[in-house]
Structure formats: structure tokens, C-alpha cells
Amino acid sequence: MANKRDYYEVLGVSKNATEDEIKKAYRKKAKECHPDLHPDDKEAAERFKELNEANEVLSDANKRARYDQFGFEDPMAGMGGGGNPFGGFDFGGMGGVGDIFDQLFNGGMGSRSARNQGPVAGNDLRYELYVTFEEAAKGCQKSFEIYRNELCDTCKGSGAKPGTSPVTCPTCQGSGQIRQSGGWMTTVRTCSACGGTGKIVREKCTACSGSGRVRKKRTVTVKVPAGIDHGQTIIMNGQGEPGLRGGPNGDLYIVVSVKPHKIFRRDGYNLLLEMPVSFVTATLGGDVEVPTLNGPVKYRIPEGTQPGTEFRIKGNGIQQLRGNAKGDLILRVKVEIPKRLNNKQKELLRQFEETTTDREYDNRKSFMDRVKELFS
């Protein structure tokens, strides 16, 4: 218990938070660490488990009231040695101390049955969408197919054969719970015959075998916004699997995977380009054609440009995800030394070298000055 974090702290809400604020906080944080989005992240899985535990308590008015009063301490600690006073009993699938409180303080009608009979949100789905570098930079529309469990058209999700309906469970009389008395205490467990729903299907729908759901292939079309980056997620609300008993549909999480480009690299909203330039152009200066995502542009390389020099071409980068502004294209010059020269070219270079001095080579002159200073 000592290592548990306060439930309000876990959800990031105040102790006066409304039911709506708690619901929104849980939904937001759960999406950040959902196991489907972080399949190999044990820390995310633990945070998700912690969030669920906090939400289960704070979203239930009775449990929240008891938590506000007692915290993590067992209010029955004085009965039977300080631990769980019901230790050693088999509660038949009950959810621990929280459910025991429901039995003691709510007349035996635990929240587990209410959850089983109430609306349940549908499952979220995850899809990895591959796009080209250009599609991510400029935006595009993509269509793809997914498989999801949907309500059976034949029985409308009831699981019962058309013309029939689910009937009240005879085992629990529709309560979804089985009560058992033993001495001074009464325990309550979920009805195994109906799974806590209070209803059973006598004649099953042949289309879905009584499950109320069938697996279908659907085509989904999504608008990929300009500027999206590798690993970012597009959420399509309500495009997951349908909920149960009037619960909301789940969401579809589309994780974008951007294929690498042959010549460009991305740095935020800037594009990085390493471009070879002849040593003559770098020495004398000249115009070069620089490729961009929108076609080539002319750029003037100044005289005496050194290898590795970077130039910024404004507005030729990636469009910002939420806005119309664009990043820049960062051009890094890679001075290329020619190979396989013929004899005439070599002779001309030798003649050129004979006419140069340290005056034309700033780095060489600076280096030689430091060498002289070192050995003087």
C-alpha cells in the first residue's frame, strides 16, 4: 500500500473534480500509454494498469466516497488481526476488497454486475499506415482495409435467433449475481450461467453462433495531414469496434510510418540535403540547381565556399502540421575532388598550384603558423 500513488494524482485531477473531468482525464492519459500503442513497453503497461485502477475507484460514486474517507486503509482492519477480515474465504471471482465493500455498504448489489449489465465501450483498433516521404510532407488521402468485429445484421447484436429474444436467466433471476449466505456474512458472485448479464439465449443466431458479432472487412479512408512525421498517430474517433448494450464505439489508432527519402532527411520541419559541388564552382562561385520537394530551384554558391558549408533556403522545407508556415531547406555543400584526370588537366593543375601562396589558403596558413609556434 505504501508504494501506491494517490488516485487523484494518477489521473492528474483535483479532489473536487467532477465526474466529467475524471472521465476526460482518464481517456486522455489512457491513450498516451495504451498497450496497443506501446506493445513492448512494460512501464507503459504498468501505468495503464494504474490508471484503470484509479479510474475504477474515482468513477464510482460509492467507491470514491470510501476512498476519500479511508484512503488505502481497510476500514475493517480491527476485525480479525488487521488484514482483510474475509481472508481465507473463496469469493468466486469477486474483485477483492472493492467488491466486498459493495456488498457490505450497497445491500449486496456490487458494481461488477452493474458493469456487466450496463453499456460497455467497444475495443480500440490499431493500424500501421505506410506513406512516402512526399505524402507525409504534402499530405494525402489514403484508403486501406481493416477487419473488425461488428454487430450481427441478422440478430442485431442480441445473439438470439430471429423471431426469438434472450430470456431472463433462471439461475440468478435476472440479477446477474448469485448470493450465498454463510453464518453472519453473505457473499455475492457473478452468475456463471449468464456471465452477469441477467439474460441467456436459448435459440442462438446461426449467422453469429449466438455471439451477437461477426468479423467483417471494411475500407477506411483517412486524410493524412501535411507535415505529419514518422511514428505520429491519427485517431479516428468511433471507427473501432462497436460497444455493447449501447456503449460507444472504440477508436481507430492509425500509426504513420514514413518511408525514407533517397536524398532528403528531415529535422523537425526543416529538410537536410547534402549536395556535391565541383571544386571549381566552390572556388570561383556559380549557380547550381538545388532539388526541393516542389522541383529544382537555382541557388548562387559564393566564391571560396568550403566543404561542409551550410546554406539556408527559406520556405522550402516541410509544412507545419498545424499551420501554413514551412520550414527551410538546409543545403550542405560537399566539395567533390575530380578523379581520372588526363595529362593535360593534371598539368594545368600543377601550373595553377605553382602560382598560389598561403595568401589564397586561409586554413593552410593558419595551420602552418601554429606548427611554427609549436616548434619554435
Side-chain angles (χ1 to χ4, degrees), residues 27-236:
R27 206 169 164 80
K28 179 182 177 183
K29 287 184 175 289
K31 286 179 179 179
E32 293 173 358
C33 60
H34 198 287
D36 286 347
L37 300 179
H38 307 276
D40 300 317
D41 191 338
K42 292 183 179 178
E43 187 178 334
E46 285 300 317
R47 289 204 309 272
F48 189 71
K49 181 179 176 182
E50 184 182 43
L51 279 170
N52 279 330
E53 183 180 324
N55 181 62
E56 183 178 352
V57 171
L58 298 187
S59 63
D60 183 293
N62 292 315
K63 289 184 180 181
R64 182 178 179 181
R66 289 195 302 277
Y67 174 71
D68 288 343
Q69 184 177 358
F70 301 112
F72 295 116
E73 295 298 323
D74 183 358
M76 306 294 288
M79 299 173 58
N84 180 357
F86 308 121
F89 287 86
D90 179 10
F91 294 103
M94 291 165 56
V97 176
D99 286 321
I100 294 170
F101 286 159
D102 280 324
Q103 297 156 37
L104 291 174
F105 297 106
N106 295 330
M109 295 303 294
S111 65
R112 181 176 297 273
S113 176
R115 290 196 299 272
N116 284 342
Q117 297 186 47
V120 178
N123 292 327
D124 294 333
L125 298 177
R126 181 181 184 274
Y127 182 86
E128 188 167 11
L129 179 67
Y130 291 90
V131 297
T132 66
F133 194 91
E134 288 87 349
E135 287 174 332
K138 298 180 180 180
C140 63
Q141 185 168 288
K142 304 286 280 187
S143 294
F144 55 91
E145 293 179 336
I146 61 170
Y147 286 88
R148 66 187 180 196
N149 293 320
E150 298 186 2
L151 295 181
C152 175
D153 292 330
T154 304
C155 66
K156 309 304 180 187
S158 71
K161 182 180 177 181
T164 69
S165 300
V167 298
T168 301
C169 175
T171 305
C172 65
Q173 303 302 315
S175 70
Q177 296 179 326
I178 301 297
R179 299 168 61 86
Q180 292 179 330
S181 296
W184 60 274
M185 188 181 85
T186 298
T187 62
V188 181
R189 62 179 175 82
T190 301
C191 176
S192 58
C194 64
T197 64
K199 300 283 186 181
I200 61 171
V201 176
R202 294 200 184 277
E203 296 185 66
K204 294 182 179 179
C205 170
T206 56
C208 63
S209 301
S211 67
R213 298 193 171 208
V214 291
R215 194 159 181 79
K216 291 185 178 180
K217 180 169 70 174
R218 295 294 186 189
T219 298
V220 176
T221 300
V222 61
K223 185 176 181 181
V224 179
I228 199 164
D229 205 354
H230 181 80
Q232 290 184 319
T233 301
I234 301 171
I235 301 176
M236 297 187 71

Side-chain angles (χ1 to χ4, degrees), residues 272-304:
L272 306 180
L273 172 66
E274 189 174 67
M275 181 174 168
V277 173
S278 75
F279 84 104
V280 174
T281 301
T283 303
L284 302 179
D287 292 331
V288 295
E289 272 201 346
V290 180
T292 74
L293 289 176
N294 298 310
V297 297
K298 280 190 176 181
Y299 190 79
R300 182 75 179 179
I301 299 294
E303 179 181 329

